Amino acid sequence: MAITIYSFSATGNSMTTASRLADQLGAKLIPVASTKHLPKVTEDADTVGFVFPVYYGDMPYPVREMVSKMVFQPDTYVFICMTYRGHAGAAAKRMDQLLRTRGQKLSLAVGVSMPGNSFINPPEVDAEYLEKQAAHIAAVLPQIRSREVQDHFTEELLPLTPVGSPNNFRGIAADETCIGCGTCAQVCPMENIAIRDGRAVIGENCATCLACFHWCPVEAIWMSKQENIARRSKYHHPDVTLEKIAAQKRPE
């Protein structure tokens, strides 16, 4: 059984989850961001997984963009492993609907609770999620290995969520303390950030992944128009570095 896992990650929750799944399953691991400039993505494996964080009950836009240009083998077994702070929303049904436009369907959806990088958890809750990550991954492995099948089909036409298309609806922006170091541009999976006159300019082609916010070394980026979270504490998975996040954009 040949397995390929595609992962998308801004702060490391999904990166570490995908890496551990790939190690246990003997799977090839490919960052979603590395496929951005490919006209199509042809996948020959008979089992394909996608690991990504849930945004607003949906998959991140780069995942949607990649799946929309994928070519699968007939009868591919497709699974997703979602990381989330609260719940998965309708992400599985949205993925199933998207896969059906590519002649496939979603066979299995599993999840791993992790610290959020948007809204805020108490520190003790985040610490508990990190402590239990390995156990949660171990719990979903038998489902993947046995090729468990679930039904995620719905006839309801699910409308696009705020993250279903690229846009900076949250008003993410750099303030006057920006030093123009380019870290935000380095980690942006959408190539949406430019350094102009020594300051980061964040455009509208935004996936709302918040990598720019969490990796800014001088905390110059506001992540939201909502005052209670605009300056929330930075987060990244303790096993992940800036270099690992930036390296996801390198072509395979």
Side-chain angles (χ1 to χ4, degrees), residues 41-181:
V41 179
T42 301
E43 183 49 64
D44 294 327
D46 55 17
T47 299
V48 177
F50 300 94
V51 182
F52 56 82
V54 173
Y55 300 158
Y56 293 83
D58 201 350
M59 70 196 86
Y61 178 76
V63 176
R64 177 178 293 279
E65 180 183 41
M66 184 191 70
V67 175
S68 297
K69 60 185 179 183
M70 288 189 74
V71 178
F72 297 89
Q73 293 299 304
D75 301 318
T76 300
Y77 179 82
V78 181
F79 72 89
I80 60 174
C81 181
M82 302 164 286
T83 59
Y84 44 74
R85 182 200 69 140
H87 56 82
K93 292 185 182 297
R94 294 180 189 281
M95 175 61 87
D96 183 69
Q97 289 191 342
L98 179 57
L99 285 166
R100 287 176 187 272
T101 70
R102 312 306 298 164
Q104 298 294 329
K105 65 179 181 179
L106 179 62
S107 295
L108 174 68
V110 294
V112 175
S113 296
M114 295 294 292
N117 75 353
S118 178
F119 295 98
I120 305 169
N121 276 339
E124 60 273 16
V125 173
D126 281 351
E128 183 178 359
Y129 282 163
L130 286 170
E131 183 179 348
K132 292 183 177 180
Q133 181 186 14
H136 287 161
I137 293 170
V140 305
L141 278 166
Q143 295 175 272
I144 299 171
R145 287 190 174 116
S146 66
R147 295 167 70 92
E148 180 179 314
V149 175
Q150 306 163 344
D151 183 12
H152 297 284
F153 176 75
T154 176
E155 293 184 352
E156 177 189 359
L157 182 61
L158 298 173
L160 287 179
T161 62
V163 298
S165 59
N167 62 101
N168 190 5
F169 68 94
R170 295 185 69 157
I172 303 167
D175 65 21
E176 67 282 352
T177 65
C178 175
I179 60 174
C181 68

Side-chain angles (χ1 to χ4, degrees), residues 17-28:
T17 298
S19 178
R20 294 172 190 182
L21 284 173
D23 286 347
Q24 292 295 315
L25 295 168
K28 180 180 180 181

Side-chain angles (χ1 to χ4, degrees), residues 192-239:
N192 180 51
I193 304 175
I195 307 301
R196 297 176 188 154
D197 299 322
R199 184 168 169 178
V201 178
I202 300 170
E204 290 300 314
N205 187 37
C206 179
T208 321
C209 72
L210 303 180
C212 58
F213 171 84
H214 287 284
W215 293 102
C216 176
V218 295
E219 302 190 10
I221 294 177
W222 294 69
M223 64 169 275
S224 175
K225 298 173 184 176
Q226 295 176 249
E227 291 185 5
N228 62 321
I229 62 171
R231 291 298 200 182
R232 62 148 283 175
S233 59
K234 307 295 178 183
Y235 169 79
H236 66 78
H237 192 284
D239 294 340

